Amino acid sequence: MDIIAAYREVGTYRGAAQIAGTTHKTVKRVIARHEAGGAAPERAPRGRNYDGVAALVAERVEKTSGRISAKRLLPAARAAGYAGSPRNFRRLVAAAKRAWRREHHRGRRPAVWSPGEHLVIDWGAVGGLHVFCAVLAWCRFRFVRFAADERAETTLAMLAECFEVLGGVPGKVLADRMGCLKGGVVANVVVPTAEYVRFAGHYGFRPDFCQAADPESKGIVEHLVGYAKRDLMVPQAPFGDLAAANAAAAAWCAEVNGVIHGEICAVPAERLVIERELLGPLPSLRASIGRQVTRKVDRLSCVRFASARYSVPVRLIGETVKLRTDDGRLLVIMTGTGQVVAEHVLVAPGGASVRDEHYGGPRPATPRRAVRPRTAAEKEFCALGPAAEVFITGAAAAGHTRLGPELAELNTLRAAHGEQAFLDALDRAVAFSRWRAADVRSILGVGAGVPGPAAEPGDALVLDLPVVPVRPLADYAIGGLS
């Protein structure tokens, strides 16, 4: 039966509900709608228990730019007379924040990158290992390297290496407000450090900084930092040293730059070839980074730094050079040209790092003691050349104490037999270790027809000896004597 007909029949809500098979509340709602002309009747607005503090909440949300939490606002609301639950109050604060953000939206627009214009950089860290990340914005070419710290010298060295990998210099370098690159802030404008300004002037780019507390403005590199942590650092950690970590980073960059990027639907390495034509040229010399000290090259062709010696080319003896430390290395730089003339790994105090190429070759196995004649007899004998020097050093090593007085006799033999014959006799005396003047005289007396020492040993001499009768040893016993 129809609800309205049932109500007209019995005149009560419960009776009509029993006939129509529903509840009396439904019957009441249907009858009220019917009497109102078919539309739902207007309901009187019902207040909420937080209406009294809604103005207070809106004021605090406006004052804090939508950052205050409901937890911090609740004590003030309690003091203002709010007696409801914290859960209901959180609904009020959330609604007030939504209303404030709706009226104060920043209206962020997507970035439109131009070729050769922006390089975006940032630092990240996992487990004490710092990672430097850079993205060339238009082609999405990524550069990742590891370091032990985030100092200004390290950051600028990473930037210089990034420029060399890219093959050019972009127009701007966008970074967040790094403490190592920020000299100060005036009216929300970042003042870069003097060292960063010199570095930018050397390479020909303009430093740029993001707004404070605005990581979204450089989200292109923020994403790379997270990607490098997830895909490079976490799977391959721990790294043994920085060299191994950077080798893995270079291989990882070659891998990710060689596949299609999801945002641009192109291969970053291929787009870099196009963008490189619009990059600025690299300077002929890398910029001088970090604090430098001046040293003078000593007579050992070395410079001292932190109580250790480091070799430089011998042509720089007496010159003044500059020293700079970079990532565990010591760079020796020419003062005038800025050219790096030597590079060493830092050693402990008291140690030495010596490069053979700085001295024209490796150190000899045994030290060579130069022969310097002083007397007239010594000068006359040493005028023969290397053969005379070899004879003197050999005789000295053999302990021939009469060598000095016998030099006059050797000079007489030279004059008597001729220089060539005397030289041949000296060579033979050296070959057979004969160091006396009488030995040289005997060699000269024999002449040149004697054989020389064999260069290679000959065959073993085998002789057929005759068999002779022998007596046993028992015949020689003492008890056997008669």
Side-chain angles (χ1 to χ4, degrees), residues 253-286:
C253 289
E255 176 187 351
V256 298
N257 289 324
V259 297
I260 295 178
H261 192 283
E263 182 70 20
I264 60 175
C265 297
V267 178
E270 296 176 358
R271 293 191 70 170
L272 175 63
V273 177
I274 302 173
E275 188 171 2
R276 187 175 287 147
E277 299 178 0
L278 301 176
L279 297 177
L282 287 170
S284 58
L285 294 175
R286 179 180 280 196

Side-chain angles (χ1 to χ4, degrees), residues 101-344:
R101 295 190 185 106
R102 191 180 304 113
E103 298 296 330
H104 298 81
H105 196 277
R106 297 179 59 183
R108 186 181 301 277
R109 301 174 60 180
V112 179
W113 306 107
S114 301
E117 187 67 21
H118 283 90
L119 179 75
V120 192
I121 64 173
D122 197 11
W123 280 100
V126 171
L129 187 62
H130 301 269
V131 57
F132 176 84
C133 299
V135 182
L136 193 57
W138 183 77
C139 69
R140 298 301 200 278
F141 189 88
R142 288 154 284 192
F143 175 85
V144 175
R145 291 295 185 272
F146 294 106
D149 54 66
E150 299 181 11
R151 296 183 302 171
E153 295 85 355
T154 308
T155 304
L156 297 183
M158 292 292 181
L159 260 180
E161 184 180 355
C162 179
F163 293 153
E164 294 170 2
V165 172
L166 296 177
V169 182
K172 298 179 182 178
V173 174
L174 177 63
D176 60 4
R177 303 189 174 198
M178 299 180 182
C180 60
L181 303 180
K182 179 181 66 175
V185 180
V186 178
N188 201 34
V189 177
V190 179
V191 180
T193 62
E195 184 178 10
Y196 189 30
V197 172
R198 286 193 297 268
F199 180 86
H202 180 82
Y203 280 97
F205 68 88
R206 186 169 72 85
D208 195 9
F209 295 90
C210 297
Q211 291 291 334
D214 186 22
E216 292 86 355
S217 58
K218 58 180 181 62
I220 189 173
V221 73
E222 293 282 352
H223 174 75
L224 175 59
V225 172
Y227 185 29
K229 290 179 180 179
R230 296 189 309 269
D231 198 58
L232 173 61
M233 299 180 71
V234 173
Q236 301 189 32
F239 294 103
D241 54 6
L242 282 178
N246 283 324
W252 183 81
C253 289
E255 176 187 351
V256 298
N257 289 324
V259 297
I260 295 178
H261 192 283
E263 182 70 20
I264 60 175
C265 297
V267 178
E270 296 176 358
R271 293 191 70 170
L272 175 63
V273 177
I274 302 173
E275 188 171 2
R276 187 175 287 147
E277 299 178 0
L278 301 176
L279 297 177
L282 287 170
S284 58
L285 294 175
R286 179 180 280 196
S288 178
I289 303 171
R291 189 177 66 89
Q292 298 183 357
V293 294
T294 302
R295 293 288 188 273
K296 184 177 180 179
V297 182
D298 59 19
R299 299 184 64 181
L300 297 177
S301 188
C302 292
V303 292
R304 291 185 64 88
F305 179 79
S307 300
R309 289 186 182 273
Y310 300 90
S311 66
V312 299
V314 292
R315 58 184 173 82
L316 300 178
I317 292 178
E319 298 288 338
T320 300
V321 296
K322 292 184 178 180
L323 307 182
R324 177 168 61 86
T325 57
D326 179 17
D327 194 17
R329 300 174 300 167
L330 179 77
L331 303 181
V332 183
I333 305 170
M334 289 294 296
T335 303
T337 63
Q339 178 186 4
V340 178
V341 294
E343 181 178 336
H344 297 270

Side-chain angles (χ1 to χ4, degrees), residues 405-440:
E406 287 186 352
L407 287 182
E409 184 178 352
L410 291 173
N411 290 331
T412 303
L413 292 175
R414 171 192 175 187
H417 292 271
E419 184 171 329
Q420 187 59 45
F422 186 71
L423 285 175
D424 295 340
L426 283 183
D427 291 338
R428 189 174 179 83
V430 171
F432 288 96
S433 300
R434 311 295 292 179
W435 311 113
R436 300 181 181 277
D439 299 328
V440 178

